[in-house]
Amino acid sequence: MKSEGEKECFIISSAQLVDGKNAGARRVRLVSKSLAHKGVKVFICTLFDIQGKINEIKELTPGVFALSGGERQNGEKLSVLKFIKAIKQFIDLRKSERVIYLYPTTFIFKDFFYLIYFKFIGRYRFFCDINELRSSISFFSLPTGSFHTRLWYYVKSPVEWVFYKLNEFQALFYDGIVVISTTLKKHYSIYTKSSLRVPILCDSDQIIKSDSLRWLPGEPFRICFAGYISFAKEGFDIMLRALSEVQDSYRVDLFLYGFLDQKNKVRIDRLALKLGIEGNIKYMGNLDPSLLQTEYLKYHLLILPRPSNRVTRYGFSTKLSEYLMSGRPVMATDVSDNSMYLRDNYNCFLIKPGSSIVMSERIRGIINRYNHQAASIVEGAHDTAREELDYRLFSEELIRFIYK
């Protein structure tokens, strides 16, 4: 039997978080570890894993558990009602101080049902983790393809925008929100004063040290990008142009890891072919995050080339904290809250966004001084990860916020 003073947090979501390869799964795992570090029991409950009475509790890390139960019949769709009912039955048996922590998805109607049931019917304290502004996604990328495809884009986008804006109003009813960036905190201040900024997190125990930071003149300089491979959001047009501008001085190859849909693949392939660097771009697949740390050691430089736009201003790339632990130097653009944690020539190479000329010149400079500078950059990155972004640094503040 649980004691009344024990604290338990139920993270609920429609996303695949337990075995997911995306940024959301990484964010939830680190927030969970932050809470568990100071004694809160965390249960990750996802629509993907629960469709009936919960019959399995798997401990992922000390104090963090994944719940699962029930199976769908062939062809049966995921049921929000089954999901809610199963979690309710489990929570009702707990004798503890319980809170609900929502990790939202683009399935905003499902998130609305969670709010209605757990907040207003179940009377639980209800919090939400917000790491992007979804209304900024609408009208973000230009439509391509046939006339009907473009017409559908202009019909669908304003409808999406309206629903995303209405979804923001849910913050009025949350007991509090946890945001990932200062711009999100400012944006949501019109809806709620109960907010806490928890930036990108990392587990500094996973820092990788390497003594092989060498580039041999004449060999290709290898750059790695890992994450969701989005042409517009990640600034691949600028990055590919920068790579083409460097080729007259050095052979530079770009290796891509992450999810790549057909639309973005076509755009990347077309531009690479136009610039004459199709042989320098190599897609390496969407690997499990646990395997990426080893992959990073194959490269000279990791890159986050995001441009400054309405999407990147509100987000904060969770990949950056992983990069800083990688044992390889990082080049990033100064967008969102990057400059709050990154210092040029100390823990990264920080450049202004939006210019292929600026990026190509910086890549040349990095290559020229690589053997003399890379090791100190990596050392500074490791210090930043340990001293500013480790999940344990935020445990007490996060617990005070959701259990106050």
Side-chain angles (χ1 to χ4, degrees):
M1 186 68 68
K2 307 297 178 187
S3 65
E4 292 293 341
E6 188 172 28
K7 294 178 172 60
E8 294 183 334
C9 178
F10 293 83
I11 299 180
I12 63 173
S13 182
S14 299
Q16 184 180 359
L17 298 178
V18 178
D19 298 315
K21 301 179 182 179
N22 55 30
R26 291 193 297 273
R27 171 74 171 177
V28 165
R29 283 195 289 268
L30 288 165
V31 168
S32 300
K33 291 174 72 172
S34 183
L35 291 168
H37 177 62
K38 288 297 182 177
V40 176
K41 282 193 174 180
V42 181
F43 298 90
I44 300 176
C45 319
T46 71
L47 180 64
F48 187 85
D49 294 304
I50 301 172
Q51 280 293 290
K53 185 176 180 179
I54 293 169
N55 53 29
E56 183 178 357
I57 304 175
K58 179 182 178 183
E59 189 168 23
L60 304 178
T61 59
V64 180
F65 304 86
L67 303 183
S68 61
E71 294 183 0
R72 284 180 292 160
Q73 302 298 320
N74 291 335
E76 182 184 8
K77 292 184 178 180
L78 292 169
S79 169
V80 173
L81 294 179
K82 286 183 179 180
F83 175 56
I84 290 175
K85 181 180 178 181
I87 298 175
K88 175 186 181 300
Q89 290 175 340
F90 184 84
I91 295 179
D92 285 349
L93 297 175
R94 314 296 293 181
K95 301 296 182 181
S96 60
E97 188 176 354
R98 296 153 291 181
V99 299
I100 304 298
Y101 191 101
L102 173 68
Y103 188 82
T105 66
T106 53
F107 303 109
I108 57 177
F109 289 109
K110 295 175 182 177
D111 292 344
F112 178 70
F113 286 131
Y114 304 149
L115 172 67
I116 292 297
Y117 179 79
F118 290 107
K119 171 69 176 177
F120 296 108
I121 299 176
R123 309 297 293 177
Y124 294 106
R125 288 174 60 76
F126 195 99
F127 296 83
C128 184
D129 191 298
I130 301 174
N131 64 7
E132 66 178 352
L133 187 66
R134 291 207 167 86
S135 59
S136 67
I137 300 173
S138 301
F139 298 105
F140 178 63
S141 58
L142 295 175
T144 58
S146 66
F147 169 78
H148 293 94
T149 301
R150 296 194 301 272
L151 177 63
W152 175 241
Y153 171 87
Y154 286 112
V155 171
K156 181 183 69 172
S157 293
V159 175
E160 282 183 343
W161 183 86
V162 170
F163 281 122
Y164 287 146
K165 290 300 290 185
L166 291 175
N167 181 244
E168 290 177 20
F169 282 95
Q170 287 184 199
L172 293 167
F173 305 106
Y174 299 145
D175 289 285
I177 60 173
V178 176
V179 296
I180 202 169
S181 69
T182 54
T183 46
L184 278 174
K185 186 177 177 69
K186 180 179 180 180
H187 178 84
Y188 274 92
S189 65
I190 63 175
Y191 303 112
T192 178
K193 300 301 179 184
S194 181
S195 64
L196 174 69
R197 184 178 66 87
V198 175
I200 55 173
L201 300 175
C202 72
D203 181 352
S204 62
D205 291 341
Q206 298 176 0
I207 282 177
I208 295 179
K209 294 185 178 181
S210 174
D211 298 326
S212 56
L213 288 164
R214 299 286 297 173
W215 171 72
L216 300 177
E219 74 170 355
F221 189 80
R222 299 183 298 276
I223 298 178
C224 171
F225 171 88
Y228 184 82
I229 304 174
S230 170
F231 190 88
K233 181 180 178 181
E234 300 296 345
F236 273 88
D237 53 341
I238 297 169
M239 181 165 56
L240 294 184
R241 288 190 174 91
L243 291 181
S244 71
E245 293 163 7
V246 174
Q247 300 300 329
D248 60 347
S249 304
Y250 303 100
R251 165 68 187 252
V252 179
D253 292 337
L254 175 64
F255 298 79
L256 306 176
Y257 292 83
F259 177 76
L260 175 61
D261 61 29
Q262 186 61 26
K263 177 182 176 181
N264 282 291
K265 185 178 186 304
V266 168
R267 294 187 69 180
I268 290 172
D269 289 346
R270 284 178 177 173
L271 183 55
L273 182 62
K274 179 181 177 181
L275 296 171
I277 56 171
E278 65 274 15
N280 303 89
I281 313 299
K282 306 177 191 299
Y283 179 57
M284 308 301 291
N286 187 18
L287 299 189
D288 187 278
S290 63
L291 301 176
L292 280 174
Q293 292 292 348
T294 302
E295 290 293 304
Y296 292 150
L297 297 177
K298 299 177 180 178
Y299 305 106
H300 297 104
L301 181 71
L302 309 183
I303 189 170
L304 278 174
R306 287 187 168 185
S308 179
N309 54 48
R310 64 179 184 271
V311 173
T312 60
R313 279 195 295 271
Y314 289 99
F316 193 2
S317 177
T318 57
K319 184 60 65 175
L320 176 59
S321 59
E322 187 178 303
Y323 275 10
L324 294 176
M325 299 189 300
S326 67
R328 289 293 180 266
V330 178
M331 184 172 76
T333 51
D334 186 3
V335 296
S336 184
D337 286 349
N338 281 3
S339 61
M340 292 179 64
Y341 301 95
L342 300 181
R343 282 189 285 159
D344 188 31
N345 290 319
Y346 166 67
N347 55 11
C348 80
F349 302 108
L350 190 63
I351 64 173
K352 292 182 178 180
S355 170
S356 64
I357 296 176
V358 168
M359 187 177 294
S360 63
E361 287 300 314
R362 194 58 190 274
I363 292 173
R364 286 192 183 95
I366 292 170
I367 296 174
N368 284 334
R369 297 186 296 275
Y370 189 83
N371 294 338
H372 304 287
Q373 194 175 19
S376 65
I377 295 292
V378 169
E379 184 179 351
H382 287 173
D383 289 343
T384 300
R386 278 189 295 262
E387 298 168 7
E388 300 189 57
L389 300 173
D390 186 82
Y391 71 87
R392 284 160 284 227
L393 300 172
F394 301 89
S395 298
E396 293 184 357
E397 188 176 16
L398 185 56
I399 291 171
R400 279 198 303 269
F401 180 68
I402 67 176
Y403 287 99
K404 63 186 178 183

